[in-house]
Amino acid sequence: MKKTLNPKVISVLEDKIQLIKTEKGAIYLVGPIRLPVNLYGETVVFKWYCWLNCDEATEDYQIIIDKLSSVNLAELQQSSVLAYGDFEYGEDAILRFHSICHTGDIFGSKRCDCGFQLKQSMKMIVDHGMGALFYLANHEGRGIGLFSKAMAYILQENGYDTVEANEALGFVDDSRNYGDAILVLKALRSKPVTLITNNPKKLQALKNAGLEVSGRESIWGDISEYNEKYLKTKINKSGHINDEGTCCND
Ligand SMILES: [Zn+2]
């Protein structure tokens, strides 16, 4: 027997759930939720959204809520958005599509520049006055997953560069897909955005999806002996734009 949810619970939640239809079903976007964040020692209040992909597209949210306790979501990762200022309607917003990096974002690993890029892009958004950071949870290791990334790191310790290591394990170098994130972005905002990225492929993915991109801001930093080779590979093999030699000179 299904337990019927308290109608008050449904009415509180349904105001904050948005249904976005996809080819395979739907994305359920919840938020905004007030999220005070410690950013470099200062408290900044963001508006947080989270989304979930589902095969079923229904506006009867009771059906979706009923499923949550049985689908073991903690075993999976969900993507989310940190928005700041008038991201939905403001004229000039900046945007970061950040790929999850367990080692860089959480542990502060210096093998890559992800942890720096995460915090720095949040700061850029706040300094700019409006914008959003999309935290893309299915992008670990450029889409190969954490366990495969661990094996790729072992290969890198044996002379492979990041691209060669992914390819040696049978993956394409970059298998990230931005489709869902773009659908969510479109649900939140219709005006052009300035993209924070060094990666022209991200810029192209957004443009291909029909979004108006008004500009690009680069984001380099935290360069050290530990990630210099990784950053050089991004520039020389993956086509990242090394603005005025801001990254590594070679
Ligand atoms: Zn990383």
Side-chain angles (χ1 to χ4, degrees), residues 144-157 169:
I144 70 174
L146 188 60
F147 188 78
S148 310
K149 180 168 119 176
M151 291 196 284
Y153 272 10
I154 294 170
L155 294 182
Q156 286 170 37
E157 287 177 347
L169 291 169

Side-chain angles (χ1 to χ4, degrees), residues 99-105 109 111-115 140 149 153 230:
S99 296
I100 186 174
C101 178
H102 188 112
T103 45
D105 299 339
S109 162
R111 287 184 71 133
C112 57
D113 56 349
C114 305
E140 181 66 70
K149 180 168 119 176
Y153 272 10
Y230 160 87

